[in-house]
Structures are given as structure tokens and as C-alpha cells.
Amino acid sequence: MTMRASSTVEDYLKCIFRAEQEARQAGRDLVPMGRIAALLEVAPASVTAMMKTLAESGLIAYEPYSGVRLEPAGRKLAAHVLRRHRLVELFLVSVMGFDWSEVHSEAELLEHAVSERMIERMDEMLGRPSVDPHGDPIPSADGHIEIVDHPSLLKCPLNCTVEVVRVTDQDAEFLRFAEREGLAPGKSVEVAARDETAGSVAVVAGSRQLSLGFPAASKVLVREAP
């Protein structure tokens, strides 16, 4: 039986996994060290020390002064952490009645404690779901994760009905805002206009029209409505 990595190692690998997606969207191959420090709210020196440890363990490729990227072993371990996290989130919402805005912090704690046997049982009870309450993809038991590059409200076509499929910001206040304004996954919306000068997006959600700033609009991912 393989020993599970420490919670600190798991947190770093999960952070790098998420930051890699940001880096790819920005056309970069490596995750800057400063980005990891900012996401985990730790000192840069602590990040550097951990990156050297992870590199020695074969979990990441570390290029001093440039950044890091996950090696296959590190990516698989990060996917298993995300699987536990996202299944716990969905279980808390679907079975225990938690609000989707409050499960992220709970899952951050439980992802390190729950056993693989319990995770498998949760997955079975939930019907082998593909996404969590926020629309984030749930990795499979073998560590495979299907990442679909859905456009955000900044990039989708104008005056076309689209369906919200994912909200990328896990902040509780933003999630409550998204739900209140009809921007939760499964909701149909339409982008009426974008104002580059004002940095705002006019969105029609149901019978309401709201204005979103570019940063907020970039966190709401959509697809063509079925």
C-alpha cells in the first residue's frame, strides 16, 4: 500500500495544478514562484524550499528564477487530491444540504482526512459525477481529468443564449453573488454587449440585466445552450 503524501505536499501540488491552467491560458509553460506564494499565502523562501524538495522527489520540474511544472507523478497525485476535494464538495451539497458557497473551506480540511474507500463510496452514491457543484471537473479514480476550455462571458458570442457550466472563483461571497444574479451552473444567460473602455459586460440573466466588470465576467464559463 502506497503511503499518502503529507497534507502540505498535497496542497502545493494542487496549487501548482490549478496555476498551470492559468499559465497555459497566458501562453506560459512554467508557473512563476511568486504565483504559488500568493495563492498559498506563504513566504517566497518557503515556496523555494518546498519546490526543491518536490523536485528531488520527482514530482515537479524546477527551473530556478523561471518557475515550475508538474511531472507526470506530481500531476497524478494532484489529480487524486482534486478528486477527493471535489467529491467531498458535491457530497456536502447533494447529500448533506450545504450551500455551494460554503463547501470549499470544508473540503479543504476533509480532503486530507477522508479515506480512498470513503471517496469511492461517495462517488458511487453520487452516481459517478463528472463535475462538482461549481462545474469543476472531477478526476477519475485513475487520475485522469478531462479539461474542456470553455469560453468565459468575456469571450463568448454576443446576443446568443449560453449556459453557465463553471464558476472558477471559490470565494464564498462571489459564489453567493453568482447564485443571486442567475450565474450559477445550469443557468441560461446572454451577453448583450461589452464595453472595452469601461471594462464591463452587459449580461441578461432571465428577466434581469446586470453589468459585470471584466474580472468577474472572466470567472463565469459558458457553453452553447442545448
Side-chain angles (χ1 to χ4, degrees):
M1 181 177 179
T2 302
M3 183 176 295
R4 181 182 291 185
S6 71
S7 59
T8 301
V9 168
E10 289 186 343
D11 284 341
Y12 269 93
L13 293 175
K14 183 176 66 173
C15 173
I16 296 170
F17 186 97
R18 290 172 170 170
E20 275 190 339
Q21 297 177 55
E22 296 178 1
R24 282 195 294 269
Q25 291 173 353
R28 297 192 303 266
D29 294 326
L30 299 174
V31 176
M33 305 287 279
R35 182 57 179 157
I36 300 171
L39 288 172
L40 292 176
E41 299 181 346
V42 297
S46 298
V47 173
T48 299
M50 178 56 77
M51 293 306 101
K52 291 178 179 178
T53 299
L54 295 179
E56 291 170 358
S57 300
L59 297 173
I60 68 165
Y62 169 49
E63 297 184 18
Y65 310 109
S66 297
V68 301
R69 66 175 176 273
L70 291 172
E71 293 286 23
R75 181 168 290 104
K76 185 173 183 179
L77 182 52
H80 281 299
V81 181
L82 284 172
R83 172 176 168 79
R84 295 198 300 268
H85 181 98
R86 291 172 178 174
L87 279 171
V88 166
E89 284 189 332
L90 187 57
F91 188 85
L92 290 174
V93 170
S94 300
V95 178
M96 301 189 70
F98 279 70
D99 187 81
W100 77 319
S101 67
E102 60 184 343
V103 295
H104 178 68
S105 58
E106 297 290 340
E108 285 286 296
L109 300 173
L110 292 171
E111 69 186 33
H112 302 302
V114 67
S115 68
E116 294 302 326
R117 181 183 179 188
M118 184 172 290
I119 283 296
E120 174 60 24
R121 181 61 177 146
M122 286 182 180
D123 191 28
E124 182 182 358
M125 287 181 65
L126 294 168
R128 310 294 183 189
S130 59
V131 295
D132 73 3
H134 313 105
D136 295 323
I138 297 174
S140 64
D142 62 3
H144 174 73
I145 182 169
E146 184 176 355
I147 299 176
V148 181
D149 289 327
H150 292 294
S152 71
L153 293 177
L154 280 181
K155 302 293 184 180
C156 68
L158 294 175
N159 301 311
C160 293
T161 301
V162 292
E163 179 187 357
V164 177
V165 293
R166 187 177 182 185
V167 177
T168 61
D169 193 328
Q170 303 293 300
D171 178 73
E173 185 175 347
F174 186 82
L175 291 174
R176 285 192 291 268
F177 164 80
E179 185 165 26
R180 185 173 64 248
E181 300 297 337
L183 300 175
K187 298 294 186 181
S188 295
V189 300
E190 182 178 310
V191 176
R194 296 188 185 95
D195 189 329
E196 297 287 342
T197 303
S200 63
V201 178
V203 179
V204 178
S207 60
R208 305 174 59 189
Q209 180 164 318
L210 61 147
S211 179
L212 295 177
F214 277 9
S218 69
K219 300 171 182 176
V220 180
L221 307 189
V222 299
R223 67 182 175 193
E224 183 179 348

